[in-house]
Structure formats: C-alpha cells, structure tokens
Amino acid sequence: MILPKRSFRPPRWLKAATALLTTAYTVFAVILAVRSGLPRAVSEVARVGVAVNIGLTLALGLIWWLYYRNTSGSGDFDQRRKAPVVSGITLDEQSSLSLLAKTSQIIAEHSARATVDAISLVRELLQTGFSLGASDLHLTPEPGGLRFTYRVDGILHDAGSVARRHVSYVINRVKVMATLSLHVHQQPQDGRFTFDREQFQARVSTLPTNHGEKIVIRLAVNDETRYQLDGIGFDEETLDTFKALLLSDHGVIYMTGPTGSGKTTTMYAAMSHIRDHLGDKLNLVTLEDPMEVDFRGMAQTQVNNKVGLTFAAGLRSVLRQDPDVIMVGEIRDVETAVTAIRAGVTGHLLLTTVHADSVVGVFHRLKQLEVDAFQLASASLAVVNQRLAVRNCDECLEEVELTTTQARQLALLDIETEGTFYQGKGCEACRHKGLRGRVPFLEVLRVSDAIREMLVVNTPKSKIIDHAVSEGMITLREQAMRKVHDGILRVDEALRILSL
C-alpha cells in the first residue's frame, strides 16, 4: 500500500523571509500609489526597492522549490512487513541490510567531524529505524563514545557509534524531541514525540549508567491496517475457532505470554475484526497503557495513574458507558480482576492480558487475585498463550547434529531427540547471524463446559491440559517441534520459547 506523501513543513526562517518580502512589496506599492504627494527621492527609492524585490522574489522562489523537492518530493512511504519505507524503497531483507550499511557509513562520517550535526544524525537514525521495521533503537554510552543498535525481529543489529565528544549533543537532541529535562542525568526519565507525522510515534526512556545516560527509543507505527487477524499467524483451524469466539456476546478472552510476544497486537487485530464485522451494531471501548494505535470506530482511553485513572477505575467507568466489547490492556490487581470477571458474566465481551506461565496458569493467577472460582469458570471463554520465535535464515540453512546439551534439555522436556535438525550457519542475507524474521506460536485453550467444571473443583493443571488436547488444542511443544523438524526453528530457539 502506498501512503500519501508526508506534509511539507518549511523552516521558520523561510516563512519569515517570505513575510518580510511581502511586507516590503506592500510598502513600496503604497509609496508608488501616492507618490504625487511625496518627495521625488522617496519615489525613486520605491522604484529601486520594487526592482530589488523582484530579484529577491525569484531567489526566494528557487529556495522554496529546492526545499520542497528535498523534503517532500522524496516523501513516499511504502509498507512491508508492518513498517513504513522511506523514499519509496521496497524493503526486502537484502535492501534492509543495504539501508543499515548506509546508515552505519553516515554515523561514521558524523563521528569523524569536529562538530556533530545532531539534528541530522538523529533524524537519519529514526528514519532508518522506521524503514527497517525496528521495534527499538538503543543509544548506549561506552568508554569510547555512543553506540547505536536496532532491534529488528527480536535481534539486535549494531549500526556503529560516534566519538565521545559527540555524545552529549546526540543525547540532548533526543531529550529535546521528547521534552525531557536536559539537566537531569542521575534519574530515569520517560517521554514521547511524533516523528515527521502523526503516524510515526516514538517513546523515549532514559537510564543513568556508569558511562552516562542510556536511551532506548521504542518505535511504533500508528497504522491500523497492520492489525489484521488473518496475518497474526494462527493456523487455519485455530483461526476459525478464535473468530467464532469473538462473535460471543459475553465472556472473557485472555491473552498471556512474555513481554514482547505480540499479545497486544493480537488483541488489536481481534478488536479490528469485531469492528469490521459487527462494528455498526456494537459499542467498542478500550483501556490501554500506553495507547499505541488510533483506531476508527472505537472509544479508546489512555490509563493515567497520576490522576487516578487506573485500569480498575477506568473499567468501572467504562461499564457505565453501555459497552458491548471491552479491551483492557492488563489485569494487574484484585479490583481490576474482580471487575473484569463480573463484566464477562453480566453481558459484555472482554479481551485482556494476564501474565502467567501457561494457559492454565492464567486461571491460577486470577484465583490468586481473589476471583471466585465459580464466576471465573462462568465468565471465561478462552485463553491464548502466545510466543514469538526467531526463525532460521532460509538462505544459509544446513543440517546439524544435536549437541549433548541440547539432547539432554530435550529429554528433560520429554521430547524425542530423533529426527532431522537444521540451523542457519550465517550469510550476508542475515548479517552472519543465521537468523532472519520471526514466527508466531499461538496455543488456544477453549473453555468448554467440561473445563469449567474442572476449574470449579480445582482440578490439577496437567489434567486440564490433557483434556484440552483431547478437545483439539495444539500445544506449544507440538507446534515448536514441528517447526524444528521443518527447518524453520533451530533447537535452541525452540527450547527458549518452551522454557518461558
């Protein structure tokens, strides 16, 4: 999809020069219009002024044209792999590497200068980050300078560093953009800013370290078209089940998984699916912290603990707004948990996240938060346990033998060690990491009547999982090992996601 060109924003000095020239024209025109009552010398000055203004107008017009061409003429943004692309570049992995190499060269050039152009450098870093589809940009102080690193597909990619003499200028530039205090160095700070236009959002976090302030910039694209349920990664059968659950008129669907596993993305996609199919009949409301994307057809609220707008307080207010579907960013405390479950029982469909170690662990966590077991069983519709794994690079895939340690770890998880295993050995396409791209895993436990009965009588976790499997649930372990033998995952990555 080609998005519109970004808006043209001339600098203040150019607008001021234009205004001054216009004023001069007006003054000289008035003098020439009433010259009959003025000294001859004044009329001559006006004529000369008009002639000079004509030349200045031509020069200023050329400057406007050049500035427009350099800032707006190359502003086409394309989209691929959930990220915008600057200057019309169509991103595949090879061009991504070229873009990263180009940025590394620019960083080296800035580092070699006596005085760094911090504004230009930070803009280049951000533009590259959004083009690469990076989730984060790290600015890490070191004894020799400031190192820049991008996180793309869960993997950190080094982009180079600038000399020590430039560190404060770059750090202060980011702070100014995020409206943070330049004089605070020993305390963490948080801020945010819009890059170029509203679609591109950056959240900034600073942290004092032994070599100076470290900054991490979270890069987010405010584009609801990126959140489509069909593109999340569900297998066909699981996707059909999940879509059917979203048509329910009441109940709670829980998302669980470690930080960065894509839970919020799945919830956004689910809300978009509901809106697109039943949006004209339903009142959709969200409570978020932070609010990352602006969706049409939904009433979205940003949690603000400073003014008392917590998840619990916000949810109580939402329930007085006649909602049909509610998305709550996270259940963290007793009050939010009890209110959310009550909402699911009393005729609302609610989507939320709960931090737990497994699909059944969600129920144990909610019971710890003083939720009544009977109400919990009655309200619950499903649990989605999600993971994101880094996949092997297809360009350098090779067959490998299991190491002794890997075989022992698989045995501890009661997983067969027979079969063929693969691993990327590293090439130019993956920057010699052997890994490129990510693959999602979604384990969906549908809460049937039988499982509800098990929850009420506190049935052990293993028996609930066994029953869910008998009803068709595909476990994370089965999914992971299937992808291992297909060459999509290396063994170490499978072990990582199964141990979370």
Side-chain angles (χ1 to χ4, degrees):
M1 178 183 70
I2 302 296
L3 300 176
K5 290 183 178 181
R6 62 185 180 221
S7 58
F8 173 50
R9 298 176 181 174
R12 292 181 179 177
W13 67 265
L14 187 55
K15 291 189 288 186
T18 303
L20 182 61
L21 192 61
T22 302
T23 303
Y25 261 125
T26 303
V27 172
F28 292 142
V30 171
I31 292 174
L32 292 176
V34 298
R35 60 183 175 178
S36 57
L38 296 173
R40 182 181 179 85
V42 175
S43 299
E44 291 298 327
V45 170
R47 288 195 188 93
V48 173
V50 170
V52 172
N53 271 13
I54 291 174
L56 292 175
T57 299
L58 293 174
L60 199 61
L62 179 62
I63 293 173
W64 272 91
W65 178 78
L66 289 172
Y67 191 86
Y68 178 83
R69 185 188 67 174
N70 291 336
T71 59
S72 289
S74 61
D76 287 337
F77 280 69
D78 191 11
Q79 186 171 354
R80 175 179 170 86
R81 293 169 57 240
K82 301 183 179 180
V85 183
V86 179
S87 303
I89 300 172
T90 301
L91 272 188
D92 52 25
E93 271 69 10
Q94 198 63 40
S95 63
S96 298
L97 296 174
S98 300
L99 184 58
L100 190 58
K102 173 177 172 290
T103 301
S104 298
Q105 182 179 355
I106 292 173
I107 292 171
E109 292 172 356
H110 277 276
S111 181
R113 297 175 184 173
T115 304
V116 67
D117 182 356
I119 295 176
S120 174
L121 176 57
V122 172
R123 180 175 182 81
E124 176 69 27
L125 291 167
L126 292 170
Q127 189 163 285
T128 298
F130 281 112
S131 295
L132 290 172
S135 61
D136 300 273
L137 167 59
H138 294 242
L139 286 68
T140 307
E142 298 177 339
L146 185 67
R147 182 159 299 280
F148 307 106
T149 314
Y150 294 101
R151 186 177 294 279
V152 183
D153 291 333
I155 303 175
L156 290 175
H157 295 268
D158 183 26
S161 62
V162 293
R164 187 70 188 174
R165 63 181 178 275
H166 301 320
V167 173
S168 61
Y169 297 101
V170 178
I171 294 294
N172 286 344
R173 173 54 185 166
V174 176
K175 282 187 168 184
V176 167
M177 295 176 73
T179 62
L180 301 178
S181 174
L182 300 181
H183 307 294
V184 176
H185 304 290
Q186 300 304 319
Q187 294 179 349
Q189 297 187 76
D190 294 293
R192 62 189 307 157
F193 62 87
T194 298
F195 176 68
D196 221 21
R197 53 179 173 163
E198 288 297 325
Q199 185 182 10
F200 305 102
Q201 302 289 327
R203 298 202 306 271
V204 178
S205 172
T206 72
L207 183 70
T209 71
N210 56 332
H211 294 297
E213 287 182 281
K214 175 180 171 62
I215 289 182
V216 175
I217 305 175
R218 172 61 58 89
L219 305 176
V221 183
N222 186 359
D223 180 9
E224 65 172 84
T225 61
R226 301 166 64 233
Y227 300 92
Q228 300 296 325
L229 203 55
D230 292 338
I232 292 297
F234 287 96
D235 63 79
E236 187 174 350
E237 183 179 352
T238 303
L239 180 60
D240 291 340
T241 300
F242 191 61
K243 286 181 177 179
L245 290 168
L246 295 177
L247 297 177
S248 304
D249 60 359
H250 70 281
V252 184
I253 299 175
Y254 313 96
M255 307 295 306
T256 191
T259 300
S261 60
K263 300 185 297 296
T264 301
T265 298
T266 302
M267 282 203 301
Y268 276 155
M271 292 292 286
S272 296
H273 178 80
I274 295 171
R275 179 203 60 195
D276 293 341
H277 288 78
L278 297 169
D280 57 337
K281 302 176 183 178
L282 301 177
N283 178 20
L284 279 65
V285 185
T286 74
L287 281 171
E288 306 173 50
D289 185 22
M291 189 173 70
E292 297 183 0
V293 183
D294 185 9
F295 287 91
R296 59 177 176 82
M298 302 182 200
Q300 296 175 259
T301 299
Q302 167 73 53
V303 168
N304 187 347
N305 293 323
K306 293 181 180 179
V307 299
L309 183 56
T310 61
F311 277 120
L315 184 54
R316 288 197 306 271
S317 298
V318 165
L319 291 174
R320 294 192 289 269
Q321 293 280 313
D322 186 32
D324 295 295
V325 183
I326 308 169
M327 185 188 107
V328 178
E330 183 183 350
I331 291 180
R332 302 173 178 171
D333 53 66
V334 173
E335 188 176 1
T336 306
V338 172
T339 307
I341 296 302
R342 189 180 299 123
V345 173
T346 57
H348 307 87
L349 178 63
L350 189 141
L351 286 76
T352 187
T353 65
V354 177
H355 282 287
D357 61 348
S358 64
V359 284
V360 179
V362 168
F363 303 121
H364 293 310
R365 173 59 180 154
L366 291 171
K367 288 178 180 179
Q368 288 177 345
L369 293 174
E370 301 179 11
V371 174
D372 178 74
F374 182 80
Q375 283 196 337
L376 175 62
S378 301
S380 300
L381 286 176
V383 181
V384 179
N385 187 13
Q386 187 161 334
R387 300 288 188 275
L388 272 179
V390 185
R391 61 187 301 154
N392 281 320
C393 174
D394 296 332
E395 301 295 326
C396 56
L397 197 64
E398 64 178 4
E399 187 175 335
V400 296
E401 297 290 333
L402 281 181
T403 65
T404 304
T405 301
Q406 290 171 339
R408 186 182 301 115
Q409 289 174 322
L410 289 175
L412 289 173
L413 293 173
D414 196 24
I415 297 175
E416 292 290 336
T417 57
E418 297 181 357
T420 307
F421 302 91
Y422 302 88
Q423 184 170 309
K425 64 179 180 180
C427 63
E428 291 294 331
C430 59
R431 289 182 64 82
H432 305 287
K433 294 181 180 291
L435 301 166
R436 187 174 60 171
R438 288 196 284 185
V439 57
F441 294 87
L442 298 111
E443 180 183 55
V444 180
L445 183 150
R446 185 177 63 85
V447 182
S448 62
D449 290 339
I451 292 179
R452 287 190 175 93
E453 293 177 4
M454 293 180 176
L455 293 176
V456 171
V457 298
N458 292 322
T459 302
K461 172 182 174 180
S462 59
K463 291 188 177 181
I464 295 177
I465 291 178
D466 289 342
H467 187 83
V469 170
S470 70
E471 292 183 343
M473 184 182 81
I474 303 175
T475 64
L476 287 177
R477 183 168 71 173
E478 182 179 347
Q479 295 179 53
M481 295 313 299
R482 186 185 302 167
K483 285 183 168 55
V484 164
H485 294 303
D486 288 342
I488 297 173
L489 287 187
R490 60 172 59 184
V491 174
D492 289 339
E493 186 65 6
L495 289 168
R496 182 187 69 83
I497 67 169
L498 291 177
S499 63
L500 290 174

